[in-house]
Amino acid sequence: METKLENKTVLLTGLPRTGSTLLQNLLAQNTNFHVESNSALYRVMLDNKHCCEKVAIEQLTGSGKQVSFKHELLKSIPKIYYPNVEGKIILEKSRDWAFINGLNMAREYIQKDIKSIVMVRPLEEIVASLVRVANENNQEVSYEDFLHPAAASGALVMGSFHATYAASKTKDPSLLFVSYNDLVKNTQQTLSRIYSHIEVKKFTHDTQKVDQVVFEDDESIGISGMHTIRPKISVQENKVILPEWVRKYCKSLTHQLFSEIDKEP
């Protein structure tokens, strides 16, 4: 029987509007990578873990399968999720992997020495970018919702922020924090840092023209252009002016996060 080549998984997580789609399409230039759109793997694994530990625990315990079944089930899910991928570096993208329980789950059931790329950006720039996209789609903007964890847009921003901030405080060496500004202004140097971190042979990328080969179905969520990249890497001018209270609040959180990861905002 022919032995199947093992895959190596790298987690891509962090804050929204931080260049993760650009990074995906850059790394997709390297055929050793397998890159897909935003992944459901974390949610599927977490739901099945919850089922084994809570919903079906009585039956699994009664049959003596409470440990073995959960382990085998969760170990099998990544292979089912990527059925035809062999001998590749899987770039597994989800903001949920920033949660500490997500990283622990990945280590236990995907790969013990798994590495993460955590994308960050000043929070005031993230909010301004989201407002610009909302304006382009003729959507009303509520800054209170953006900054309230219970709201849908707040979960996107503040949920991701709190997970990323908590991860930064662990000082876990398996996490590489990559800022949006470093990615777009010092692209080659940043890619070199990423390759060193994930312990993969370096590759010469074309940073002058980046073709988009990884897409998200933005139309399905009613926000066109959310994950569209420009072929020329550059910082896009944003004319959105945030209210003073939003700007001050965001800058205070930015300071907290960037102080932990020893970066300039």
Side-chain angles (χ1 to χ4, degrees):
M1 179 182 294
E2 186 176 347
T3 303
K4 185 174 181 179
L5 296 175
E6 289 293 319
N7 294 312
K8 177 187 180 80
T9 300
V10 175
L11 304 179
L12 177 58
T13 187
L15 302 174
R17 309 302 295 166
T18 51
S20 59
T21 305
L22 169 60
L23 180 57
Q24 284 180 295
N25 284 278
L26 275 166
L27 293 177
Q29 294 175 352
N30 184 344
T31 57
N32 289 322
F33 278 87
H34 177 82
V35 187
E36 293 185 7
S37 60
N38 195 38
S39 172
L41 181 59
Y42 170 90
R43 299 291 178 93
V44 173
M45 291 181 68
L46 188 67
D47 284 354
N48 277 273
K49 185 173 183 288
H50 174 76
C51 181
C52 291
E53 293 175 348
K54 302 292 183 182
V55 180
I57 187 64
E58 180 181 341
Q59 291 80 9
L60 289 173
T61 301
S63 60
K65 296 181 179 180
Q66 70 270 29
V67 176
S68 61
F69 179 79
K70 181 181 77 170
H71 181 80
E72 292 303 317
L73 174 63
L74 294 177
K75 289 280 285 186
S76 71
I77 292 174
K79 297 181 177 67
I80 297 169
Y81 197 83
Y82 295 104
N84 301 313
V85 182
E86 181 179 350
K88 296 282 188 177
I89 304 156
I90 297 173
L91 191 64
E92 164 59 30
K93 177 186 174 181
S94 172
R95 281 185 295 273
D96 293 324
W97 290 119
F99 289 101
I100 294 171
N101 72 329
L103 182 58
N104 290 336
M105 185 169 67
R107 283 176 173 150
E108 186 168 359
Y109 301 111
I110 299 178
Q111 190 176 299
K112 288 182 179 179
D113 60 347
I114 202 162
K115 299 289 182 69
S116 300
I117 303 166
V118 187
M119 305 299 297
V120 297
R121 186 180 187 181
L123 196 59
E124 57 274 22
E125 292 183 14
I126 292 172
V127 172
S129 180
L130 286 167
V131 171
R132 177 183 61 78
V133 174
N135 289 341
E136 290 171 352
N137 284 270
N138 299 313
Q139 294 188 355
E140 292 186 9
V141 172
S142 167
Y143 290 103
E144 287 80 3
D145 284 350
F146 270 130
L147 301 174
H148 196 295
S153 54
L156 171 68
V157 179
M158 297 310 298
S160 297
F161 175 82
H162 289 306
T164 302
Y165 180 60
S168 73
K169 292 179 72 67
T170 67
K171 308 301 181 186
D172 188 329
S174 73
L175 308 177
L176 177 68
F177 290 87
V178 175
S179 78
Y180 171 81
N181 288 317
D182 280 346
L183 181 62
V184 298
K185 293 178 181 178
N186 304 297
T187 309
Q188 292 287 11
Q189 181 181 351
T190 301
L191 288 170
S192 180
R193 285 179 56 228
I194 289 171
Y195 274 91
S196 295
H197 177 69
I198 64 177
E199 299 177 306
V200 170
K201 183 180 178 182
K202 292 179 182 178
F203 178 87
T204 303
H205 289 271
D206 183 355
T207 59
Q208 299 305 306
K209 184 177 182 296
V210 185
D211 294 324
Q212 184 154 8
V213 296
V214 182
F215 296 90
E216 300 279 351
D217 185 8
D218 291 336
E219 298 295 333
S220 67
I221 57 173
I223 309 180
S224 177
M226 186 71 141
H227 296 92
T228 301
I229 67 168
R230 300 178 294 280
K232 176 70 174 177
I233 300 175
S234 61
V235 178
Q236 185 176 15
E237 181 183 7
N238 191 341
K239 297 182 179 180
V240 170
I241 299 176
L242 300 176
E244 185 64 14
W245 73 268
V246 174
R247 190 185 67 81
K248 285 184 176 180
Y249 180 67
C250 289
K251 285 184 76 69
S252 69
L253 294 178
T254 295
H255 177 73
Q256 291 178 35
L257 173 60
F258 279 69
S259 295
E260 290 292 342
I261 61 177
D262 298 321
K263 283 185 177 293
E264 291 291 327

